[in-house]
Amino acid sequence: IVLTQSPDFQSVTPKEKVTITCRASQDIGSSLHWYQQKPDQSPKLLIKYSSESVSGVPSRFSGRGSGTDFTLTINSPEAEDAATYYCHQSSSVPLTFGGGTKVEIK
Amino acid sequence: EVQLVESGGDLVQPGGSLRLSCEASGFTLGYNFISWVRQAPGKGLEWVSVFYSGGGTYYADSVKGRFTISRDNSKNTVYLQMNRLRVEDTALYFCARDVASRGLGCFDLWGRGTRVTVSS
């Protein structure tokens, strides 16, 4: 299953909203998860099963979608949200990741 | 503290072998699915292999037949035996935990990674 993320890069101010999309090449139900990775750090789970919140993750992060189209939204992003974001599908093996979206906060 | 710690990365020549280790602390590794995920320099994440709690395994096509994943419950450790290494295997290798509450799921815990460089 191929996951196609867009855009590759997004630059926003703290007053704007970050929207990242992830499209699956086939129906994966809600088996789609989002991670944040900062330079020289391991990925960190942000959202699981498309829209379920993860303990300790700020509420400005949210996800939605099912089937083939998914979205990660960051409302009122903060400077610390500058990172690369990846989607990941667990519907079937081989597990796959999207190509990543680098987010810059101006 | 609940954590995963990888080790074993090194510089190796093409065609060589390495064994990576992923040691868990603070939880029983055997109750979870453990995957290896790699990241080539400046690139994205690539899933490599999984060891299911029941003992089954699966591999990405890019490593099938060259890499073998295994587990030692007594040491609370998962291994990745990497043979016939290629330049394109150069990456930071992470191990990650999937609590598998609904079958294959998300990775809620990651190690810090161990670096493998394949070069002559």
Side-chain angles (χ1 to χ4, degrees), chain A residues 4-10 19-23 34 70 87 100-101:
Chain A
T4 303
Q5 271 185 250
S6 61
D8 293 335
F9 177 79
Q10 191 167 31
T19 302
I20 300 170
T21 65
C22 180
R23 175 162 290 174
W34 292 96
F70 302 85
C87 56
T101 296

Side-chain angles (χ1 to χ4, degrees), chain B:
Chain B
E1 181 184 2
V2 174
Q3 63 178 353
L4 293 167
V5 178
E6 303 94 335
S7 61
D10 204 347
L11 170 63
V12 62
Q13 292 188 340
S17 297
L18 274 179
R19 189 179 80 158
L20 307 184
S21 299
C22 169
E23 182 175 5
S25 56
F27 70 98
T28 302
L29 193 146
Y31 293 155
N32 303 271
F33 297 172
I34 299 296
S35 275
W36 286 95
V37 176
R38 67 186 181 184
Q39 187 168 36
K43 302 298 184 182
L45 302 171
E46 180 189 13
W47 176 80
V48 173
S49 180
V50 61
F51 198 102
Y52 296 114
S53 54
T57 61
Y58 203 92
Y59 301 90
D61 286 345
S62 58
V63 306
K64 199 174 297 181
R66 300 186 299 123
F67 291 9
T68 303
I69 192 170
S70 61
R71 185 180 72 197
D72 185 335
N73 290 333
S74 69
K75 296 183 178 178
N76 215 24
T77 299
V78 164
Y79 302 97
L80 186 68
Q81 177 66 42
M82 309 165 67
N83 297 331
R84 303 201 318 264
L85 282 161
R86 304 168 179 169
V87 171
E88 55 264 36
D89 295 319
T90 295
L92 184 63
Y93 283 73
F94 299 100
C95 60
R97 180 182 74 176
D98 175 354
V99 295
S101 59
R102 313 177 210 181
L104 283 168
C106 57
F107 299 129
D108 71 328
L109 179 68
W110 295 69
R112 299 187 67 166
T114 186
R115 191 164 300 279
V116 173
T117 302
V118 185
S119 175
S120 54

